[in-house]
Amino acid sequence: MGGPANPPEGTPEGIPGGGEDEYRSVVFDESFVRAARLQEFSAQERVGDHAPAVRRRPPLHRGLSRQALVLVTLIAVAFGTAIYMGIRHPYQSSTAALPVESPRLTVIPLAPTGKVPGAADPEYLYAHSPAAGFAIGAEGIPLPAVRRTAHFSDSQVVAALTTAKDYIVRSSLYPEVIGGEDVRPVRVMLDSRQLDQFDASFDHPASDGRHTPTGWLVRLDTTESRLADRRIRVRGTLRADETDAATLEVVADHTFVYALRPAGADAEDAASLLTVRRELRFRFDRDDLRLRQAQLVVSSVQAGPLSCGTDTANRLRPLLAGQTARAGGPAGTDPYAAGNPTALCGTLAADAQPKV
């Protein structure tokens, strides 16, 4: 009789360790395998019936961490500082409050001692005058050799010189400015803090040294005269110096010679020469250099031939070929020679006029 662990027919043949194998009574024949039904649990069934295989992480806290808040605060502070420094540059803060000096404008007429020389051909007049060797137009306003200063670079000195030259060209050589048709080419070259005085000069001209249009620019009374030749003769110099750590100064001294005819005259009518010497002093702070604008500080003008009794504040009224001055002034003022201008009125030296 078999034991409780052995089948009645004994241990199946060919199975090792029959008494030890708990599956020795199970026989998987072909019919059993074919009849077997395989079933795979879904993911939801596996989760429901079994413990999760992976430990769940705690949910993230909403909002920013303390480190993130500190980083955002630092970025905001740095960005605000950059904007502040861009608006108030440390090198500009010392000059921002400085007032702009009101320019001193002086115009001195030079009266001829006799009749004004004239000729039909302006070239003939130029060739027989001290302006024979002068350059034409802006070529007579060359830039000097440029050297940096203690507080301004080469490029800043060049900017001051070229801005001063541009002002001189616009205010002395532009036909529309000389004819009194437009003042905007000159106006845009000025520091914005001088525009009120500039506008007041043209709205209410006066010989007070502050509101004299012919101190700002060269302007003719076109009811009496006009340009006979737009190729204006020019000679002069420019010089740049540093006045302090915040300011560059440019001094300009140029003589301009214009060929004129009476208004409405034909090309065959006699022309004459008008000589205008302009001594200008400009100042530039760093804002002016950046904006290519200038502060006009001093304008001293000598112009002839003019009558001493003529009002020269608003427009120049030069004497034309064959005309004489009504009154004279101190003898021998030569606009071609270096030196300080005389006060009120002067006499145009004979050597300063064409030999015709």
Side-chain angles (χ1 to χ4, degrees), residues 218-237:
V218 176
R219 186 159 78 154
L220 300 175
D221 184 352
T222 53
T223 63
E224 298 181 2
S225 62
R226 63 176 178 85
L227 287 175
D229 186 356
R230 292 195 174 192
R231 295 173 297 174
I232 300 164
R233 277 24 179 206
V234 187
R235 175 180 286 177
T237 59

Side-chain angles (χ1 to χ4, degrees), residues 125-135 233 235:
L125 290 175
Y126 284 131
H128 290 80
S129 75
F134 284 18
R233 277 24 179 206
R235 175 180 286 177

Side-chain angles (χ1 to χ4, degrees), residues 49-133:
D49 295 341
H50 304 280
V54 180
R55 179 172 57 87
R56 296 181 181 274
R57 297 182 62 181
L60 295 175
H61 297 289
R62 295 183 179 273
L64 297 175
S65 66
R66 179 175 299 178
Q67 293 83 354
L69 288 174
V70 171
L71 180 60
V72 170
T73 302
L74 290 176
I75 293 175
V77 171
F79 185 70
T81 302
I83 295 177
Y84 177 82
M85 294 298 289
I87 296 175
R88 290 177 57 93
H89 195 280
Y91 295 105
Q92 297 175 356
S93 59
S94 60
T95 62
L98 293 178
V100 173
E101 184 175 344
S102 179
R104 302 185 298 277
L105 311 172
T106 305
V107 180
I108 300 172
L110 303 178
T113 56
K115 288 185 178 182
V116 176
D121 185 7
E123 291 292 338
Y124 179 84
L125 290 175
Y126 284 131
H128 290 80
S129 75

Side-chain angles (χ1 to χ4, degrees), residues 90-262:
Y91 295 105
Q92 297 175 356
S93 59
S94 60
T95 62
L98 293 178
V100 173
E101 184 175 344
S102 179
R104 302 185 298 277
L105 311 172
T106 305
V107 180
I108 300 172
L110 303 178
T113 56
K115 288 185 178 182
V116 176
D121 185 7
E123 291 292 338
Y124 179 84
L125 290 175
Y126 284 131
H128 290 80
S129 75
F134 284 18
I136 297 175
E139 294 182 359
I141 313 174
L143 297 181
V146 175
R147 294 181 181 178
R148 63 178 304 165
T149 66
H151 299 92
F152 292 90
S153 66
D154 293 343
S155 61
Q156 289 174 316
V157 176
V158 169
L161 288 167
T162 54
T163 303
K165 176 178 178 176
D166 199 10
Y167 181 95
I168 295 167
V169 169
R170 293 176 180 225
S171 63
S172 308
L173 300 177
Y174 274 26
E176 64 270 27
V177 173
I178 297 169
E181 302 166 12
D182 197 0
V183 300
R184 289 175 296 177
V186 180
R187 189 179 188 275
V188 297
M189 295 300 302
L190 288 169
D191 187 296
S192 60
R193 293 166 289 183
Q194 290 189 324
L195 294 182
D196 288 343
Q197 183 178 352
F198 181 88
D199 294 338
S201 299
F202 290 88
D203 292 339
H204 306 286
S207 300
D208 59 359
R210 292 290 184 270
H211 302 93
T212 306
T214 49
W216 296 99
L217 49 83
V218 176
R219 186 159 78 154
L220 300 175
D221 184 352
T222 53
T223 63
E224 298 181 2
S225 62
R226 63 176 178 85
L227 287 175
D229 186 356
R230 292 195 174 192
R231 295 173 297 174
I232 300 164
R233 277 24 179 206
V234 187
R235 175 180 286 177
T237 59
L238 287 170
R239 186 182 76 251
D241 296 296
E242 177 182 312
T243 57
D244 55 51
T247 310
L248 276 175
E249 184 174 84
V250 174
V251 177
D253 186 355
H254 294 85
T255 299
F256 303 85
V257 185
Y258 306 85
L260 305 179
R261 281 194 176 94

Side-chain angles (χ1 to χ4, degrees), residues 107-113 129-131 134 233-237 252-258 273-279 300-306 316 330-342 345-355:
V107 180
I108 300 172
L110 303 178
T113 56
S129 75
F134 284 18
R233 277 24 179 206
V234 187
R235 175 180 286 177
T237 59
D253 186 355
H254 294 85
T255 299
F256 303 85
V257 185
Y258 306 85
L273 298 184
L274 168 67
T275 302
V276 179
R277 181 177 175 184
R278 304 183 76 199
E279 297 177 77
S300 178
V301 178
Q302 303 174 69
L306 281 80
L316 298 179
T333 302
D334 188 350
Y336 294 91
N340 295 325
T342 59
C345 186
T347 299
L348 185 64
D351 292 341
Q353 301 183 70
K355 302 294 189 297

